[in-house]
Amino acid sequence: MDEAVERRRFLGLTAAAAALGMTATVAGCGTLGGDGGEVTLRLVAADYDLTGGNTTKKYWDDLVAAFQASHPGIKVQVQVESWDDVDRKVAEMVEAGQAPDLAQIGAYADYAAAGQLYSADDLLSIPVQANFLPALADAGENKHVQYGLPFVASTRPLFYNADLFEKAGVKPPTTWDELATVAKKLKAEGVRTPIALPLGPEEAQAESLTWLFAGGGGWTDDSDRYAIDSEANVDTFTWLKDELVAPGLTGPIAPGKLNRKAAFAAFARGEVGMLNGHPSLLQEAAKQGIEVGQAPLPGVDGPAKKSMGVADWIMAFKQNGHNKEAGAFLDFVFTDENVLKFAGDNDLLPVTVTASTRMETAPEHAKLRQFLKALPTAQLPPVGKTSWAKVSETLKQEMGKAVTPAGSPEAVLGSVARTASAAEAAE
């Protein structure tokens, strides 16, 4: 049996029993910091506040104050950076030989492949490590060892404008044929954009993967090898081109020029009938009086058998040798209270089994239940591949071309597949 599978099996078998002792385990690591000295951990974290406020900084300030009160040998300094800058700034720190002890950013695989990160085994207590949702723990692995610790997550159900659906007399589609039919009825009722298809460079790799999963494909096969130009993927993009784009059912601009942010804004204005949703859209749509319906993503013959998940990561660098102190802090970060606080405040999903269970039954989080339902079986992009950064950037630039009038899904996917093969060979 594969070593990682055996380890995951052991952790799964012990999770329930170990969880009973989680509070004692976390609280019991209070006197770290070397031989009576004080250790200061540096954490660089991403800013999740969409309004320009300081909610992310306040979250970390409150968490650090509570942690330090029970761990007198450890101090934590937090530097919050915008998503536009955080990955670059961490990379610059690492390149300059000044890696932070901890980083909460978008990708971990390059650092793991370079041997710069502690593994989850080096950091976390067994109950904390066992408590991650399996799909997210798997996505945090590089060469069958977990280095990326999932911090928050999201999934992508189908969002629809409930008022527009009611006026058109339609129900949420469960198959692609039904989806095309609903889109045509919305168009006949004067809906400007029956379905938004954002294949612009902001996030084309994720939007595409959502459709590929619904069509029985994906960026990789069951052996984690790239399968970008598979028959299923070509068929999916051919269907999108012929059945949605060509009949004029997408918009408000050409898919290859439409970014997710613009698509979400159009939905919040009431101009879009359907799109693949994200939790962050719920608040903005509600502010503008749009009643959002949620449904499982439709697939070829019924609801999609796989859904796409997205996760952000936290990791610990080896450079300063503070694995025990960093591990104690991370055990604290992943307590239910802290996980639920951050996820709930930002309309995102918790990454642990126990926090997810609590959120699912909490009335105040009812709007997130469709996302939660999909998360345990969601599959993420191949973020554990060190070649993924290059492949992802290529997908962002190229996938919109596959559905243009002159575009060829087979040619575009084939070109990206060759880029992926070259990136793999260069590792």
Side-chain angles (χ1 to χ4, degrees), residues 45-48 79-89:
D47 188 359
Y48 286 77
Q79 175 182 339
V80 176
E81 299 284 351
S82 75
W83 270 113
D84 291 341
D85 300 322
V86 67
D87 287 278
R88 174 181 56 81
K89 288 194 174 184

Side-chain angles (χ1 to χ4, degrees), residues 409-422:
E410 187 172 12
V412 171
L413 288 165
S415 175
V416 178
R418 290 189 290 274
T419 297
S421 296

Side-chain angles (χ1 to χ4, degrees), residues 2 180 266 281 296 350 371:
D2 183 277
L281 178 55
F371 299 94

